Amino acid sequence: MSIALRRSLLALCAGAALGPLLLATAHAADYPNRPVKWVVPYPPAGTTDVLARIVAQWLTERTGQPFVVENKAGAGNNIGTESVVTAPPDGYTMLLVNPANGINATLYKNLNFNVLRDIAPVAGIVRTPNVMVVTANFPARNVAEFIAYCKANPGKVNMASSGSGTSVHLSGELFKSMTGCDMVHVPYKGAGPALTDLIGGQVQVMFDNLPSSAGHIKSGRLRALAVTSAEREPSLPQVPTVAETVPGYEATAWFGVGMPKNTPREAVERVNAEVNRALADPKMREKLAELGGKPIAGTPEDFGRTMAAETAKWEKVVIASGAKVE
């Protein structure tokens, strides 16, 4: 074989090997060039779903390609998450990352995936507080009085939640562990029935997501004792934080965007940049504030650190509380 022919064959082989890489790079460079699916692992109409749709509209308008929200509920968030873990890592499937992803890492013993390993962090969106609410005729008027009442009546205060292992449940478990309050956990299948029984007095306290309790607080059907964030919530400025009475307490819901691991960096950075632009936009910030959301802009690595920190935090609470899947 001549040297010239050998060189030609080597060039052809090299071109064949580089072809898929060059094609992938070209596709990443013009990302997105077709619709993007955004999996929300909850049913439609909840706070999580509304948040995704607000941001999806922004992404659609900014990129010229539809970002389509797909609700894939079930198994405590895990069905939707696994569908993204196993999707092609091409930037065209995203996950609405949320508190359950951090909690479930410990709560579920036999998951087929590890979120910190299998989901690439893309962008943080917002943190939202929970709110400690009691029935309107509960004798305690503030957190200090509530703690005193619990200690004077051990095991007689029923703490509602929207389900075992939810952020609502574990916000209460964290409060119990930091205060020594002996409360009985009463899990419900969703916030709706839990709030109905709280208003009716069958249970006495709940650490609910702020958006679902806000209307009941304003109407006087429930009394807000405190918010669970580190700072006071602008929509309820007169309501203190739990930490003002229990130093170091913080339990917030956090939301962001993830993609399958090995997604091209160009796709990750494009979505990250557009989400950060959204979080800097005054009109968008106003919409997010209506959900009690505080923007958490930053790099993909910033959001990855948030995911890791929240997973470690809730691992301790799950283990200490003995929380189990129903």
Side-chain angles (χ1 to χ4, degrees):
M1 183 184 293
S2 69
I3 293 175
L5 180 57
R6 185 180 294 118
R7 286 174 176 171
S8 297
L9 288 172
L10 288 172
L12 286 170
C13 290
L18 286 172
L21 178 60
L22 292 172
L23 185 61
T25 302
H27 284 172
D30 64 355
Y31 173 88
N33 56 28
R34 56 187 171 87
V36 178
K37 178 172 67 176
W38 194 358
V39 174
V40 174
Y42 290 101
T47 301
T48 308
D49 178 65
V50 172
L51 172 65
R53 292 180 189 278
I54 290 172
V55 179
Q57 182 179 355
W58 171 278
L59 292 172
T60 297
E61 293 172 354
R62 293 285 303 190
T63 66
Q65 291 292 339
F67 278 69
V68 182
V69 172
E70 180 178 303
N71 299 94
K72 193 167 287 190
N77 188 83
N78 293 322
I79 289 176
T81 299
E82 187 167 2
S83 75
V84 178
V85 167
T86 57
D90 55 11
Y92 291 91
T93 305
M94 308 197 313
L95 174 69
L96 185 71
V97 184
N98 64 88
N101 292 124
I103 293 168
N104 289 354
T106 305
L107 186 65
Y108 288 80
K109 306 305 179 188
N110 298 301
L111 291 177
N112 296 323
F113 58 86
N114 179 311
V115 166
L116 295 181
R117 180 193 66 206
D118 298 329
I119 291 292
V122 175
I125 303 176
V126 293
R127 283 187 180 274
T128 62
N130 287 351
V131 58
M132 182 181 181
V133 286
V134 294
T135 188
N137 60 359
F138 193 78
R141 309 293 298 186
N142 54 52
V143 174
E145 290 180 3
F146 182 91
I147 294 170
Y149 182 90
C150 280
K151 292 187 174 181
N153 298 275
K156 294 183 180 180
V157 174
N158 293 322
M159 180 186 78
S161 82
S162 51
S164 292
T166 60
S167 66
V168 174
H169 170 206
L170 292 180
S171 294
E173 293 293 347
L174 181 62
F175 182 86
K176 288 167 61 176
S177 70
M178 293 182 71
T179 62
C181 284
D182 179 8
M183 298 185 285
V184 178
H185 175 223
V186 183
Y188 289 80
K189 292 183 177 180
L195 287 168
T196 297
D197 276 7
L198 181 61
I199 292 168
Q202 286 85 358
V203 289
Q204 288 76 48
V205 65
M206 185 173 175
F207 291 76
D208 191 29
N209 297 137
L210 176 58
S212 60
S213 280
H216 300 304
I217 294 168
K218 290 176 181 177
S219 70
R221 289 189 291 269
L222 293 176
R223 184 189 314 138
L225 297 187
V227 293
T228 64
S229 48
E231 299 175 349
R232 291 197 180 196
E233 166 56 35
S235 66
L236 295 172
Q238 76 284 5
V239 178
T241 66
V242 174
E244 289 175 44
T245 304
V246 186
Y249 181 96
E250 181 183 9
T252 54
W254 49 280
F255 302 94
V257 182
M259 291 180 177
K261 68 177 180 180
N262 298 324
T263 294
R265 182 70 183 186
E266 292 84 356
V268 170
E269 290 182 347
R270 178 71 195 277
V271 173
N272 175 272
E274 294 302 345
V275 170
N276 283 329
R277 288 189 184 99
L279 298 181
D281 180 79
K283 291 184 179 178
M284 178 64 74
R285 291 173 71 93
E286 185 178 341
K287 288 181 181 179
L288 297 175
E290 291 174 1
L291 299 175
K294 181 179 180 180
I296 48 173
T299 65
E301 291 73 24
D302 290 334
F303 186 53
R305 285 187 283 271
T306 295
M307 291 171 62
E310 290 288 339
T311 299
K313 174 179 181 174
W314 294 111
E315 176 184 21
K316 297 175 184 177
V317 180
V318 169
I319 292 171
S321 69
K324 298 184 184 301
V325 181
E326 296 172 322

PDB file of all heavy atoms in Angstrom, residues 35-61:
ATOM      1  N   PRO A  35     -38.453  21.562  20.006  1.00  0.00           N
ATOM      2  CA  PRO A  35     -39.078  21.693  21.329  1.00  0.00           C
ATOM      3  C   PRO A  35     -38.303  20.969  22.426  1.00  0.00           C
ATOM      4  O   PRO A  35     -37.688  19.921  22.196  1.00  0.00           O
ATOM      5  CB  PRO A  35     -40.459  21.064  21.121  1.00  0.00           C
ATOM      6  CG  PRO A  35     -40.731  21.241  19.665  1.00  0.00           C
ATOM      7  CD  PRO A  35     -39.403  21.072  18.986  1.00  0.00           C
ATOM      8  N   VAL A  36     -38.355  21.545  23.621  1.00  0.00           N
ATOM      9  CA  VAL A  36     -37.717  20.980  24.810  1.00  0.00           C
ATOM     10  C   VAL A  36     -38.817  20.550  25.780  1.00  0.00           C
ATOM     11  O   VAL A  36     -39.746  21.313  26.055  1.00  0.00           O
ATOM     12  CB  VAL A  36     -36.794  22.016  25.489  1.00  0.00           C
ATOM     13  CG1 VAL A  36     -36.177  21.428  26.759  1.00  0.00           C
ATOM     14  CG2 VAL A  36     -35.718  22.488  24.525  1.00  0.00           C
ATOM     15  N   LYS A  37     -38.707  19.340  26.293  1.00  0.00           N
ATOM     16  CA  LYS A  37     -39.682  18.823  27.265  1.00  0.00           C
ATOM     17  C   LYS A  37     -39.169  19.097  28.681  1.00  0.00           C
ATOM     18  O   LYS A  37     -38.024  18.799  29.010  1.00  0.00           O
ATOM     19  CB  LYS A  37     -39.878  17.319  27.067  1.00  0.00           C
ATOM     20  CG  LYS A  37     -40.844  16.690  28.053  1.00  0.00           C
ATOM     21  CD  LYS A  37     -41.148  15.237  27.697  1.00  0.00           C
ATOM     22  CE  LYS A  37     -39.959  14.339  27.838  1.00  0.00           C
ATOM     23  NZ  LYS A  37     -40.290  12.914  27.572  1.00  0.00           N
ATOM     24  N   TRP A  38     -40.042  19.673  29.500  1.00  0.00           N
ATOM     25  CA  TRP A  38     -39.685  19.972  30.890  1.00  0.00           C
ATOM     26  C   TRP A  38     -40.596  19.148  31.803  1.00  0.00           C
ATOM     27  O   TRP A  38     -41.785  19.435  31.937  1.00  0.00           O
ATOM     28  CB  TRP A  38     -39.838  21.457  31.175  1.00  0.00           C
ATOM     29  CG  TRP A  38     -39.181  21.899  32.451  1.00  0.00           C
ATOM     30  CD1 TRP A  38     -38.526  21.127  33.358  1.00  0.00           C
ATOM     31  CD2 TRP A  38     -39.101  23.239  32.952  1.00  0.00           C
ATOM     32  NE1 TRP A  38     -38.038  21.889  34.376  1.00  0.00           N
ATOM     33  CE2 TRP A  38     -38.376  23.177  34.161  1.00  0.00           C
ATOM     34  CE3 TRP A  38     -39.575  24.464  32.490  1.00  0.00           C
ATOM     35  CZ2 TRP A  38     -38.131  24.304  34.920  1.00  0.00           C
ATOM     36  CZ3 TRP A  38     -39.318  25.590  33.249  1.00  0.00           C
ATOM     37  CH2 TRP A  38     -38.603  25.517  34.452  1.00  0.00           C
ATOM     38  N   VAL A  39     -40.041  18.130  32.417  1.00  0.00           N
ATOM     39  CA  VAL A  39     -40.808  17.222  33.269  1.00  0.00           C
ATOM     40  C   VAL A  39     -40.998  17.828  34.652  1.00  0.00           C
ATOM     41  O   VAL A  39     -40.030  18.170  35.346  1.00  0.00           O
ATOM     42  CB  VAL A  39     -40.117  15.849  33.386  1.00  0.00           C
ATOM     43  CG1 VAL A  39     -40.855  14.955  34.386  1.00  0.00           C
ATOM     44  CG2 VAL A  39     -40.057  15.165  32.016  1.00  0.00           C
ATOM     45  N   VAL A  40     -42.261  17.955  35.042  1.00  0.00           N
ATOM     46  CA  VAL A  40     -42.635  18.369  36.397  1.00  0.00           C
ATOM     47  C   VAL A  40     -43.211  17.133  37.087  1.00  0.00           C
ATOM     48  O   VAL A  40     -44.260  16.637  36.686  1.00  0.00           O
ATOM     49  CB  VAL A  40     -43.689  19.506  36.372  1.00  0.00           C
ATOM     50  CG1 VAL A  40     -44.182  19.812  37.779  1.00  0.00           C
ATOM     51  CG2 VAL A  40     -43.100  20.754  35.733  1.00  0.00           C
ATOM     52  N   PRO A  41     -42.548  16.609  38.108  1.00  0.00           N
ATOM     53  CA  PRO A  41     -42.983  15.333  38.693  1.00  0.00           C
ATOM     54  C   PRO A  41     -44.141  15.456  39.675  1.00  0.00           C
ATOM     55  O   PRO A  41     -44.192  14.761  40.690  1.00  0.00           O
ATOM     56  CB  PRO A  41     -41.707  14.820  39.363  1.00  0.00           C
ATOM     57  CG  PRO A  41     -40.905  16.027  39.650  1.00  0.00           C
ATOM     58  CD  PRO A  41     -41.260  17.066  38.651  1.00  0.00           C
ATOM     59  N   TYR A  42     -45.080  16.338  39.375  1.00  0.00           N
ATOM     60  CA  TYR A  42     -46.278  16.550  40.190  1.00  0.00           C
ATOM     61  C   TYR A  42     -47.474  16.761  39.274  1.00  0.00           C
ATOM     62  O   TYR A  42     -47.314  17.081  38.090  1.00  0.00           O
ATOM     63  CB  TYR A  42     -46.108  17.786  41.087  1.00  0.00           C
ATOM     64  CG  TYR A  42     -45.112  17.584  42.202  1.00  0.00           C
ATOM     65  CD1 TYR A  42     -43.815  18.091  42.092  1.00  0.00           C
ATOM     66  CD2 TYR A  42     -45.454  16.886  43.351  1.00  0.00           C
ATOM     67  CE1 TYR A  42     -42.890  17.904  43.112  1.00  0.00           C
ATOM     68  CE2 TYR A  42     -44.533  16.693  44.371  1.00  0.00           C
ATOM     69  CZ  TYR A  42     -43.267  17.203  44.244  1.00  0.00           C
ATOM     70  OH  TYR A  42     -42.351  17.004  45.244  1.00  0.00           O
ATOM     71  N   PRO A  43     -48.690  16.634  39.811  1.00  0.00           N
ATOM     72  CA  PRO A  43     -49.888  16.895  38.997  1.00  0.00           C
ATOM     73  C   PRO A  43     -49.976  18.363  38.595  1.00  0.00           C
ATOM     74  O   PRO A  43     -49.315  19.223  39.185  1.00  0.00           O
ATOM     75  CB  PRO A  43     -51.048  16.511  39.935  1.00  0.00           C
ATOM     76  CG  PRO A  43     -50.436  15.673  41.004  1.00  0.00           C
ATOM     77  CD  PRO A  43     -49.033  16.160  41.163  1.00  0.00           C
ATOM     78  N   PRO A  44     -50.814  18.684  37.614  1.00  0.00           N
ATOM     79  CA  PRO A  44     -50.998  20.077  37.200  1.00  0.00           C
ATOM     80  C   PRO A  44     -51.632  20.913  38.312  1.00  0.00           C
ATOM     81  O   PRO A  44     -52.240  20.394  39.240  1.00  0.00           O
ATOM     82  CB  PRO A  44     -51.950  19.975  36.000  1.00  0.00           C
ATOM     83  CG  PRO A  44     -51.860  18.561  35.557  1.00  0.00           C
ATOM     84  CD  PRO A  44     -51.562  17.742  36.781  1.00  0.00           C
ATOM     85  N   ALA A  45     -51.435  22.229  38.206  1.00  0.00           N
ATOM     86  CA  ALA A  45     -52.139  23.249  38.995  1.00  0.00           C
ATOM     87  C   ALA A  45     -51.520  23.548  40.350  1.00  0.00           C
ATOM     88  O   ALA A  45     -51.865  24.544  40.969  1.00  0.00           O
ATOM     89  CB  ALA A  45     -53.611  22.894  39.184  1.00  0.00           C
ATOM     90  N   GLY A  46     -50.596  22.738  40.853  1.00  0.00           N
ATOM     91  CA  GLY A  46     -49.950  23.064  42.119  1.00  0.00           C
ATOM     92  C   GLY A  46     -48.898  24.149  41.946  1.00  0.00           C
ATOM     93  O   GLY A  46     -48.591  24.589  40.837  1.00  0.00           O
ATOM     94  N   THR A  47     -48.324  24.573  43.062  1.00  0.00           N
ATOM     95  CA  THR A  47     -47.316  25.627  43.035  1.00  0.00           C
ATOM     96  C   THR A  47     -46.143  25.254  42.127  1.00  0.00           C
ATOM     97  O   THR A  47     -45.645  26.076  41.348  1.00  0.00           O
ATOM     98  CB  THR A  47     -46.788  25.897  44.453  1.00  0.00           C
ATOM     99  OG1 THR A  47     -47.879  26.276  45.290  1.00  0.00           O
ATOM    100  CG2 THR A  47     -45.754  26.997  44.460  1.00  0.00           C
ATOM    101  N   THR A  48     -45.687  24.006  42.208  1.00  0.00           N
ATOM    102  CA  THR A  48     -44.558  23.554  41.406  1.00  0.00           C
ATOM    103  C   THR A  48     -44.864  23.658  39.921  1.00  0.00           C
ATOM    104  O   THR A  48     -44.039  24.126  39.126  1.00  0.00           O
ATOM    105  CB  THR A  48     -44.208  22.099  41.767  1.00  0.00           C
ATOM    106  OG1 THR A  48     -44.050  21.995  43.182  1.00  0.00           O
ATOM    107  CG2 THR A  48     -42.922  21.662  41.094  1.00  0.00           C
ATOM    108  N   ASP A  49     -46.057  23.243  39.541  1.00  0.00           N
ATOM    109  CA  ASP A  49     -46.473  23.286  38.139  1.00  0.00           C
ATOM    110  C   ASP A  49     -46.581  24.725  37.644  1.00  0.00           C
ATOM    111  O   ASP A  49     -46.110  25.058  36.541  1.00  0.00           O
ATOM    112  CB  ASP A  49     -47.817  22.567  37.996  1.00  0.00           C
ATOM    113  CG  ASP A  49     -48.354  22.595  36.583  1.00  0.00           C
ATOM    114  OD1 ASP A  49     -47.715  22.005  35.692  1.00  0.00           O
ATOM    115  OD2 ASP A  49     -49.408  23.209  36.360  1.00  0.00           O
ATOM    116  N   VAL A  50     -47.182  25.585  38.449  1.00  0.00           N
ATOM    117  CA  VAL A  50     -47.345  26.992  38.060  1.00  0.00           C
ATOM    118  C   VAL A  50     -45.979  27.646  37.871  1.00  0.00           C
ATOM    119  O   VAL A  50     -45.750  28.390  36.901  1.00  0.00           O
ATOM    120  CB  VAL A  50     -48.173  27.755  39.126  1.00  0.00           C
ATOM    121  CG1 VAL A  50     -48.172  29.250  38.835  1.00  0.00           C
ATOM    122  CG2 VAL A  50     -49.601  27.219  39.169  1.00  0.00           C
ATOM    123  N   LEU A  51     -45.044  27.362  38.776  1.00  0.00           N
ATOM    124  CA  LEU A  51     -43.696  27.914  38.678  1.00  0.00           C
ATOM    125  C   LEU A  51     -43.042  27.511  37.356  1.00  0.00           C
ATOM    126  O   LEU A  51     -42.477  28.347  36.638  1.00  0.00           O
ATOM    127  CB  LEU A  51     -42.860  27.426  39.854  1.00  0.00           C
ATOM    128  CG  LEU A  51     -41.367  27.755  39.817  1.00  0.00           C
ATOM    129  CD1 LEU A  51     -41.157  29.258  39.889  1.00  0.00           C
ATOM    130  CD2 LEU A  51     -40.642  27.054  40.957  1.00  0.00           C
ATOM    131  N   ALA A  52     -43.129  26.227  37.031  1.00  0.00           N
ATOM    132  CA  ALA A  52     -42.515  25.746  35.791  1.00  0.00           C
ATOM    133  C   ALA A  52     -43.125  26.421  34.572  1.00  0.00           C
ATOM    134  O   ALA A  52     -42.417  26.791  33.630  1.00  0.00           O
ATOM    135  CB  ALA A  52     -42.661  24.234  35.695  1.00  0.00           C
ATOM    136  N   ARG A  53     -44.422  26.596  34.568  1.00  0.00           N
ATOM    137  CA  ARG A  53     -45.083  27.176  33.398  1.00  0.00           C
ATOM    138  C   ARG A  53     -44.721  28.657  33.218  1.00  0.00           C
ATOM    139  O   ARG A  53     -44.606  29.146  32.089  1.00  0.00           O
ATOM    140  CB  ARG A  53     -46.597  26.975  33.492  1.00  0.00           C
ATOM    141  CG  ARG A  53     -46.976  25.507  33.352  1.00  0.00           C
ATOM    142  CD  ARG A  53     -48.460  25.231  33.445  1.00  0.00           C
ATOM    143  NE  ARG A  53     -48.686  23.794  33.510  1.00  0.00           N
ATOM    144  CZ  ARG A  53     -48.714  22.986  32.445  1.00  0.00           C
ATOM    145  NH1 ARG A  53     -48.542  23.493  31.232  1.00  0.00           N
ATOM    146  NH2 ARG A  53     -48.906  21.689  32.582  1.00  0.00           N
ATOM    147  N   ILE A  54     -44.528  29.359  34.317  1.00  0.00           N
ATOM    148  CA  ILE A  54     -44.104  30.759  34.223  1.00  0.00           C
ATOM    149  C   ILE A  54     -42.720  30.849  33.575  1.00  0.00           C
ATOM    150  O   ILE A  54     -42.483  31.639  32.655  1.00  0.00           O
ATOM    151  CB  ILE A  54     -44.087  31.409  35.617  1.00  0.00           C
ATOM    152  CG1 ILE A  54     -45.510  31.602  36.141  1.00  0.00           C
ATOM    153  CG2 ILE A  54     -43.350  32.754  35.580  1.00  0.00           C
ATOM    154  CD1 ILE A  54     -45.574  32.051  37.589  1.00  0.00           C
ATOM    155  N   VAL A  55     -41.800  30.010  34.043  1.00  0.00           N
ATOM    156  CA  VAL A  55     -40.438  30.051  33.506  1.00  0.00           C
ATOM    157  C   VAL A  55     -40.395  29.473  32.097  1.00  0.00           C
ATOM    158  O   VAL A  55     -39.647  29.959  31.233  1.00  0.00           O
ATOM    159  CB  VAL A  55     -39.469  29.306  34.443  1.00  0.00           C
ATOM    160  CG1 VAL A  55     -38.051  29.311  33.880  1.00  0.00           C
ATOM    161  CG2 VAL A  55     -39.477  29.942  35.834  1.00  0.00           C
ATOM    162  N   ALA A  56     -41.203  28.442  31.833  1.00  0.00           N
ATOM    163  CA  ALA A  56     -41.234  27.843  30.493  1.00  0.00           C
ATOM    164  C   ALA A  56     -41.688  28.858  29.449  1.00  0.00           C
ATOM    165  O   ALA A  56     -41.171  28.879  28.318  1.00  0.00           O
ATOM    166  CB  ALA A  56     -42.153  26.626  30.482  1.00  0.00           C
ATOM    167  N   GLN A  57     -42.642  29.700  29.812  1.00  0.00           N
ATOM    168  CA  GLN A  57     -43.094  30.727  28.874  1.00  0.00           C
ATOM    169  C   GLN A  57     -41.953  31.683  28.539  1.00  0.00           C
ATOM    170  O   GLN A  57     -41.760  32.067  27.378  1.00  0.00           O
ATOM    171  CB  GLN A  57     -44.279  31.497  29.457  1.00  0.00           C
ATOM    172  CG  GLN A  57     -44.832  32.560  28.508  1.00  0.00           C
ATOM    173  CD  GLN A  57     -46.033  33.291  29.093  1.00  0.00           C
ATOM    174  OE1 GLN A  57     -46.525  32.957  30.160  1.00  0.00           O
ATOM    175  NE2 GLN A  57     -46.497  34.304  28.374  1.00  0.00           N
ATOM    176  N   TRP A  58     -41.193  32.073  29.546  1.00  0.00           N
ATOM    177  CA  TRP A  58     -40.042  32.949  29.318  1.00  0.00           C
ATOM    178  C   TRP A  58     -39.038  32.284  28.371  1.00  0.00           C
ATOM    179  O   TRP A  58     -38.563  32.892  27.415  1.00  0.00           O
ATOM    180  CB  TRP A  58     -39.378  33.275  30.649  1.00  0.00           C
ATOM    181  CG  TRP A  58     -38.063  33.997  30.515  1.00  0.00           C
ATOM    182  CD1 TRP A  58     -36.837  33.437  30.267  1.00  0.00           C
ATOM    183  CD2 TRP A  58     -37.843  35.409  30.591  1.00  0.00           C
ATOM    184  NE1 TRP A  58     -35.866  34.401  30.210  1.00  0.00           N
ATOM    185  CE2 TRP A  58     -36.446  35.625  30.393  1.00  0.00           C
ATOM    186  CE3 TRP A  58     -38.661  36.507  30.818  1.00  0.00           C
ATOM    187  CZ2 TRP A  58     -35.879  36.890  30.425  1.00  0.00           C
ATOM    188  CZ3 TRP A  58     -38.083  37.777  30.848  1.00  0.00           C
ATOM    189  CH2 TRP A  58     -36.724  37.962  30.654  1.00  0.00           C
ATOM    190  N   LEU A  59     -38.696  31.011  28.657  1.00  0.00           N
ATOM    191  CA  LEU A  59     -37.717  30.300  27.831  1.00  0.00           C
ATOM    192  C   LEU A  59     -38.199  30.164  26.392  1.00  0.00           C
ATOM    193  O   LEU A  59     -37.415  30.291  25.446  1.00  0.00           O
ATOM    194  CB  LEU A  59     -37.432  28.926  28.431  1.00  0.00           C
ATOM    195  CG  LEU A  59     -36.695  28.924  29.779  1.00  0.00           C
ATOM    196  CD1 LEU A  59     -36.656  27.509  30.361  1.00  0.00           C
ATOM    197  CD2 LEU A  59     -35.281  29.476  29.635  1.00  0.00           C
ATOM    198  N   THR A  60     -39.490  29.916  26.229  1.00  0.00           N
ATOM    199  CA  THR A  60     -40.061  29.801  24.892  1.00  0.00           C
ATOM    200  C   THR A  60     -39.916  31.109  24.127  1.00  0.00           C
ATOM    201  O   THR A  60     -39.504  31.132  22.960  1.00  0.00           O
ATOM    202  CB  THR A  60     -41.542  29.393  24.985  1.00  0.00           C
ATOM    203  OG1 THR A  60     -41.638  28.090  25.593  1.00  0.00           O
ATOM    204  CG2 THR A  60     -42.197  29.358  23.608  1.00  0.00           C
ATOM    205  N   GLU A  61     -40.251  32.195  24.795  1.00  0.00           N
ATOM    206  CA  GLU A  61     -40.181  33.503  24.139  1.00  0.00           C
ATOM    207  C   GLU A  61     -38.738  33.908  23.835  1.00  0.00           C
ATOM    208  O   GLU A  61     -38.462  34.510  22.799  1.00  0.00           O
ATOM    209  CB  GLU A  61     -40.844  34.555  25.025  1.00  0.00           C
ATOM    210  CG  GLU A  61     -42.354  34.354  25.157  1.00  0.00           C
ATOM    211  CD  GLU A  61     -42.984  35.271  26.193  1.00  0.00           C
ATOM    212  OE1 GLU A  61     -42.225  35.984  26.896  1.00  0.00           O
ATOM    213  OE2 GLU A  61     -44.227  35.265  26.314  1.00  0.00           O
TER     214      GLU A  61
END
